[in-house]
């Protein structure tokens, strides 16, 4: 690694509770790409990074590695590593530092700031080379008040002396590692890396950041980010000559048995027999889920909903389908169309197909004319022809948004 190239640490282990997505915001979609990918893409485009170390929650390491492999073309040339983060931001950065070099400069940059850009990184690095430590920051636009525990104003600092701190925060490697030593961390309650460096009585310089270098924390931030990304992102969209397009197929079979309801595409069909299975055995939805998972290279329903897991005993397959759709959405896939074939000698299904179609269209987020459900027999041949079971096939197409 040359002295001119940065090692970049990206803490991205937060739960994203304030964003209200119910998942790590690093995997949330932003203008057609996961937020973490947008951030890494920006870092790569600065041309200043050599190695990037991403810290995510321990349970998300495999998912992050899969994401990096899927989108590697967006940050080709970067050496990437994923580590397990911790409960606090300082824990995540400390874990990442174990993979960082002892010399050169290390930038710490929030995984939820995809718009910093080359100029902000360059200004911050230049300032860090002069002092050993520098942070991106912008002048505060609003008057700031200091209040007490009762909410009463105590003082009004001079606005000209205040800045809003951003990332990147860039440090000489040895200095940052000293700042994260156990001795210096003792009793520290800090929200940024510069605060730890300040505890070493080291002066931290500031470099001009950017008002567009927002940290995506709330739903309002995400709306603003979509606008910024759209303004900048028209060029990004044009780079892709054609949208990413995938096709998946699924097949499933269940035995007919006594004392079970017959559920197909979320519709209860009156019949003396029902399908046997760990869940509600909706064979058509199971085939559809396998097609969706297959197109996105996410395995199959056995991987996600094993029949050894009591949580899925008697489960409504339409709810399982909703979970599969959330997995696709996280990876910025949307369904283009679906075609499902139910293979059964009995009962006759024609009267129930319109409701089946509507159920699937709603679950897939599609108009009804993008979903087809049809039923056929095998002319009394095979296990379906003998009435021993029902099979289903599904074919779907996905488009990356």
């Amino acid at each position: 690694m040359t002295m001119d190239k940065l090692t970049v640490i990206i803490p991205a282990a937060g739960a994203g509770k304030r964003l209200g997505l119910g998942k790590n915001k690093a995997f949330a979609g932003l203008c057609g790409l996961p937020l973490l990918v947008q951030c890494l893409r920006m870092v790569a485009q600065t041309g200043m990074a050599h190695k990037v170390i991403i810290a995510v929650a321990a349970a998300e390491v495999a998912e992050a590695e899969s994401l990096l492999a899927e989108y590697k073309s967006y940050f080709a040339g970067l050496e990437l590593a994923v580590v397990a983060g911790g409960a606090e931001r300082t824990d995540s950065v400390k874990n990442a530092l174990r993979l960082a070099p002892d010399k050169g400069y290390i930038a710490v940059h929030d995984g939820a700031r995809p718009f910093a850009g080359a100029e902000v990184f360059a200004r911050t690095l230049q300032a860090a080379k002069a002092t050993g430590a520098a942070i991106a920051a912008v002048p505060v636009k609003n008057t700031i008040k200091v209040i007490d525990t009762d909410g009463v104003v105590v003082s009004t600092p001079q606005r000209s002396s205040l800045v809003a701190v951003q990332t990147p925060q860039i440090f000489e490697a040895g200095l940052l590692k000293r700042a994260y030593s156990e001795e210096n961390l003792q009793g520290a309650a800090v929200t940024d890396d510069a605060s730890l460096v300040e505890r070493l009585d080291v002066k931290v310089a500031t470099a001009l950041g950017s008002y567009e270098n927002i940290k995506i924390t709330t739903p309002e931030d995400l709306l603003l980010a979509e606008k910024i990304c759209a303004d900048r992102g028209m060029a990004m969209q044009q780079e892709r000559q054609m949208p990413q397009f995938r096709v998946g197929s699924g097949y499933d079979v269940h035995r007919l048995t006594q004392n079970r309801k017959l559920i197909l595409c979320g519709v209860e069909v009156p019949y003396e027999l029902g399908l046997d299975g760990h869940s509600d055995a909706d064979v058509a939805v199971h085939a559809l889920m396998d097609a969706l998972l297959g197109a996105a290279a996410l395995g199959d329903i056995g991987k996600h909903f094993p029949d050894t897991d009591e949580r899925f005993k008697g489960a409504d397959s339409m709810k399982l389908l909703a979970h599969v759709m959330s997995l696709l959405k996280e990876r910025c896939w949307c369904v283009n169309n679906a075609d499902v074939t139910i293979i059964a000698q009995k009962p006759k299904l024609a009267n129930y197909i319109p409701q089946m179609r509507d159920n699937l269209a709603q679950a897939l987020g599609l108009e009804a004319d993008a979903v087809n459900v049809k039923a056929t027999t095998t002319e009394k041949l095979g296990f379906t022809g003998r009435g021993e079971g029902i099979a289903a096939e599904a074919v779907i197409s996905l488009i990356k948004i």
Side-chain angles (χ1 to χ4, degrees):
M1 184 187 74
T2 67
M3 294 293 288
D4 293 327
K5 289 289 188 178
L6 288 168
T7 297
V8 181
I9 292 174
I10 296 183
K17 292 180 179 178
R18 284 178 286 178
L19 198 58
L21 297 177
K23 63 181 179 182
N24 186 342
K25 60 189 173 186
F27 302 108
L30 174 62
C31 279
L33 291 173
L35 176 55
L36 179 59
V37 173
Q38 293 280 21
C39 185
L40 288 169
R41 190 173 194 271
M42 177 275 298
V43 170
Q45 288 177 338
T46 68
M48 298 171 61
H50 168 74
K51 181 175 185 177
V52 180
I53 307 165
I54 305 114
V56 297
E60 296 169 339
V61 169
E63 183 177 357
E65 290 175 338
S66 176
L67 195 75
L68 299 185
E70 181 177 356
Y71 292 95
K72 60 184 178 182
S73 62
Y74 286 93
F75 26 80
L78 289 181
E79 179 185 339
L80 300 175
V82 180
V83 299
E88 303 295 336
R89 185 180 187 278
T90 50
D91 299 322
S92 295
V93 175
K94 183 179 179 182
N95 289 351
L97 276 171
R98 297 190 180 105
L99 299 184
D102 296 327
K103 295 182 179 180
Y105 287 86
I106 300 173
V108 183
H109 184 66
D110 297 324
R113 290 188 192 268
F115 305 121
E119 292 184 0
V120 172
F121 266 80
R123 287 194 293 262
T124 310
L125 178 58
Q126 183 178 4
K129 285 183 175 180
T131 63
I135 58 176
V138 291
V140 171
K141 294 181 179 181
N142 299 318
T143 298
I144 304 297
K145 300 285 186 181
V146 179
I147 62 174
D148 62 18
T149 55
D150 296 321
V152 177
V153 173
V154 174
S155 62
T156 305
Q158 287 293 323
R159 190 168 62 186
S160 60
S161 68
L162 299 175
V163 293
V165 176
Q166 302 177 340
T167 64
Q169 299 191 358
I170 302 180
F171 311 91
E172 190 277 325
L175 173 61
L176 186 59
K177 290 195 173 187
R178 278 202 295 131
Y180 272 89
S181 67
E182 290 294 341
E183 181 182 2
N184 196 52
L185 284 170
Q186 195 68 33
V190 299
T191 56
D192 75 338
D193 313 282
S195 298
L196 289 174
V197 171
E198 292 162 26
R199 286 166 63 94
L200 298 174
D201 293 326
V202 172
K203 292 183 179 180
V204 178
T206 61
L208 181 62
S210 166
Y211 287 109
E212 286 193 346
N213 183 22
I214 62 170
K215 183 178 182 181
I216 300 172
T217 303
T218 66
E220 294 77 16
D221 297 331
L222 191 57
L223 289 174
L224 177 57
E226 290 281 351
K227 182 182 185 308
I228 296 172
C229 191
D231 291 343
R232 299 182 178 189
M234 287 186 290
M236 291 195 296
Q237 295 295 332
Q238 291 168 0
E239 286 178 12
R240 292 164 62 179
Q241 298 296 317
M242 294 183 64
Q244 290 191 50
F245 184 85
R246 300 271 186 88
V247 174
S249 65
Y251 177 78
D252 197 29
V253 172
H254 281 282
R255 182 187 300 276
L256 285 163
T257 187
Q258 298 284 345
N259 302 317
R260 292 275 295 188
K261 293 180 179 179
L262 177 58
I263 309 293
L264 295 169
C265 298
V267 175
E268 183 175 341
V269 178
Y271 191 51
E272 67 263 24
L273 302 176
L275 292 172
D276 191 20
H278 189 63
S279 64
D280 62 8
D282 189 331
V283 68
V285 173
H286 290 186
L288 178 61
M289 288 192 289
D290 261 347
L292 293 166
L293 292 168
L298 293 175
D300 58 19
I301 58 175
K303 173 183 175 181
H304 294 271
F305 315 113
D307 59 12
T308 56
D309 192 329
E310 287 299 308
R311 291 178 301 166
F312 307 122
K313 186 174 179 60
D316 181 344
S317 292
M318 294 297 290
K319 292 183 178 179
L320 302 184
L321 175 59
H323 177 72
V324 170
M325 290 299 297
S326 71
L327 294 177
L328 298 182
K329 185 177 180 180
E330 287 174 5
R331 291 158 177 80
C332 302
W333 289 109
C334 71
V335 183
N336 182 55
N337 77 300
D339 184 21
V340 177
T341 303
I342 302 170
I343 306 163
Q345 193 66 38
K346 292 181 180 180
K348 298 298 183 184
L349 300 175
N351 292 338
Y352 305 99
I353 284 179
Q355 185 59 55
M356 294 180 188
R357 185 185 186 193
D358 288 344
N359 286 356
L360 296 187
Q362 183 175 357
L364 299 175
L366 297 173
E367 297 295 329
D369 62 2
V371 177
N372 190 54
V373 178
K374 54 189 182 291
T376 188
T377 72
T378 57
E379 300 294 336
K380 299 185 178 180
L381 298 174
F383 71 91
T384 56
R386 294 190 297 271
E388 296 171 3
I390 294 178
E393 296 177 342
V395 177
I396 62 94
S397 60
L398 300 181
I399 295 178
K400 179 145 285 184
I401 56 174

